[in-house]
Amino acid sequence: MREIRLVEACHICDIAEIERLCFGEPWSEKALELLLRDGNFGVTVLEEGVPVSYVGVISAVPEGEITNVATHPDFRRRGIAGELLEFLKKEAADRGIDSLYLEVRRSNEAAKSLYEKSGFSVIGERKGFYKNPKEDAVLMGWRKE
Ligand SMILES: CC(C)(COP(=O)(O)OP(=O)(O)OC[C@H]1O[C@@H](n2cnc3c(N)ncnc32)[C@H](O)[C@@H]1OP(=O)(O)O)[C@@H](O)C(=O)NCCC(=O)NCCS
């Protein structure tokens, strides 16, 4: 059974594992705990009670910065990240956040396509933003209508 929930402390261990599977410089459990305080939040999709995808948001009402979006490799191309971002936009609006921003590697066509389908558009670039390997970031944003 698939469910969508706000990230809680009990999800952090599984989300850290998703980070390790998805990124060269994964967020640690300690770093992910930032999503549990100061108005920040995360949303996770659970399959049979286990997180398989998540998104994190650093909140600075009325803006929010998306830290990462990741789906466990075994659960990709099932519409999970798309569902996650739809839920995220409603949750953000409920919290008084009317615009969301994120950076994405220029070469990450899967993520850019996901964000465009979810209503984000390109608003700028950051030269040499990423390391290991070095790459420009594309800055994308979403604004509540
Ligand atoms: C990007 C990512 C989060 C997508 O997760 P997902 O759950 O597989 O995404 P969905 O199944 O909801 O796909 C939604 C849309 O994203 C795009 N997309 C997802 N995977 C794609 C791929 N491999 N190639 C091209 N487009 C892709 C498509 O537009 C897709 O819509 P479609 O299925 O109708 O074509 C996942 O590939 C991932 O975790 N990648 C590694 C981590 C990462 O790069 N995160 C982004 C950091 S900025």
Side-chain angles (χ1 to χ4, degrees):
M1 189 181 66
R2 189 183 290 182
E3 299 165 273
I4 303 189
R5 292 270 184 274
L6 289 176
V7 171
E8 296 172 31
C10 62
H11 301 137
I12 293 289
C13 177
D14 288 315
I15 290 174
E17 176 62 11
I18 295 171
E19 277 276 330
R20 285 191 288 274
L21 290 167
C22 295
F23 299 109
E25 294 184 338
W27 281 44
S28 64
E29 289 185 36
K30 190 159 179 48
L32 287 164
E33 283 167 8
L34 179 66
L35 302 178
L36 304 175
R37 54 176 194 262
D38 301 335
N40 305 326
F41 65 102
V43 181
T44 182
V45 171
L46 313 174
E47 289 281 5
E48 310 305 335
V50 179
V52 296
S53 183
Y54 96 103
V55 56
V57 175
I58 303 291
S59 176
V61 174
E63 295 181 356
E65 183 185 349
I66 292 182
T67 58
N68 259 340
V69 182
T71 298
H72 188 293
D74 294 346
F75 290 85
R76 290 185 186 161
R77 298 313 297 261
R78 301 185 191 184
I80 289 180
E83 271 185 46
L84 193 66
L85 291 181
E86 287 312 306
F87 186 100
L88 171 71
K89 289 188 287 184
K90 291 196 193 88
E91 178 66 27
D94 287 350
R95 290 168 180 253
I97 293 173
D98 55 27
S99 55
L100 290 164
Y101 298 93
L102 60 87
E103 284 105 10
V104 55
R105 283 183 181 270
R106 187 179 293 290
S107 64
N108 194 342
E109 297 298 339
K112 287 192 296 185
S113 172
L114 164 71
Y115 299 137
E116 276 166 11
K117 280 193 178 162
S118 302
F120 287 74
S121 52
V122 174
I123 52 176
E125 61 176 9
R126 298 198 199 282
K127 289 277 180 203
F129 181 81
Y130 290 105
K131 296 171 185 60
N132 301 327
K134 190 173 175 197
E135 189 174 353
D136 297 344
V138 175
L139 182 62
M140 300 184 76
W142 166 86
R143 186 172 287 279
K144 197 175 91 175
E145 284 165 13

